[in-house]
Amino acid sequence: MAAKSLASCLFCRIIKGEIPSYKLLETEKSLAFVDIMPLSKGHSLVIPKYHAEQMHELPDEYLTDILPIAKKIALAQGASDYNILQNNGKLAHQVIPHVHFHVIPKPTEEEGLVIGWPAKTLEKDELQKIHEELKSKIDATTTGSSL
């Protein structure tokens, strides 16, 4: 699939070389570079060379390319603890409207990503209902139907 780009997108402009970056790795489908506003030393981004605002809009072949790159970066960072973060939409804290994956070393409690996880307890019947609904929709996509 041909790469899609948006002239006004910050990350598309970095891909085109119009804006400089601290490039770490580049493939036909992805670009990885050091984040200029890091949460910790080595915080990096991996972006597809296809403009999509959210992950579900990105062709699968781009997603397939991204995680091995994130793995290489995590290994190069040398941290035994790290986060791979990907946000979709403003409410989910996505700032740049272009799919991107953060690889964030977590060397100490203070450095790196800090997460509040407001988990909820659900009754078993509610979990079963959610499971059935999601499973039905997933099964429909694998048999040719759409969500």
Side-chain angles (χ1 to χ4, degrees), residues 5 7 10-11 13 15 19 37 52-53 55 73 76 78 93 133:
S5 139
L10 174 69
F11 287 167
R13 294 184 65 210
I15 290 165
I19 296 174
M37 296 182 67
E53 289 190 18
M55 189 180 73
I73 292 169
H93 308 285
E133 181 182 324

Side-chain angles (χ1 to χ4, degrees), residues 33-49:
F33 52 93
V34 176
D35 193 313
I36 62 169
M37 296 182 67
L39 296 179
S40 59
K41 182 180 174 186
H43 177 171
S44 301
L45 299 173
V46 184
I47 63 172
K49 291 182 175 181

Side-chain angles (χ1 to χ4, degrees):
M1 177 172 284
K4 182 178 122 185
S5 139
L6 183 64
S8 61
C9 172
L10 174 69
F11 287 167
C12 288
R13 294 184 65 210
I14 289 172
I15 290 165
K16 291 177 191 171
E18 295 172 2
I19 296 174
S21 68
Y22 294 96
K23 206 179 287 187
L24 294 170
L25 193 89
E26 185 170 12
T27 67
E28 180 184 332
K29 293 185 171 33
S30 303
L31 175 65
F33 52 93
V34 176
D35 193 313
I36 62 169
M37 296 182 67
L39 296 179
S40 59
K41 182 180 174 186
H43 177 171
S44 301
L45 299 173
V46 184
I47 63 172
K49 291 182 175 181
Y50 181 99
H51 181 81
E53 289 190 18
Q54 296 188 339
M55 189 180 73
H56 67 272
E57 300 167 340
L58 192 63
D60 288 351
E61 61 265 24
Y62 289 86
L63 289 170
T64 302
D65 197 58
I66 288 170
L67 281 182
I69 294 169
K71 178 181 174 181
K72 286 178 184 179
I73 292 169
L75 289 169
Q77 290 168 339
S80 58
D81 299 301
Y82 59 93
N83 296 94
I84 305 291
L85 176 68
Q86 200 279 318
N87 301 323
N88 293 278
K90 287 181 183 181
L91 288 177
H93 308 285
Q94 182 180 16
V95 176
I96 306 294
H98 183 116
V99 173
H100 56 285
F101 290 75
H102 295 262
V103 185
I104 309 166
K106 184 71 175 156
T108 67
E109 280 291 323
E110 298 77 30
E111 286 184 273
L113 185 63
V114 178
I115 298 177
W117 203 273
K120 298 176 181 174
T121 302
L122 297 178
E123 297 296 324
K124 187 175 180 180
D125 61 332
E126 192 171 353
L127 286 171
Q128 182 65 34
K129 182 180 175 186
I130 292 167
H131 168 262
E132 290 169 5
E133 181 182 324
L134 290 173
K135 182 86 170 91
S136 172
K137 288 179 179 180
I138 290 168
D139 290 346
T141 63
T142 58
T143 59
S145 301
S146 65
L147 293 174

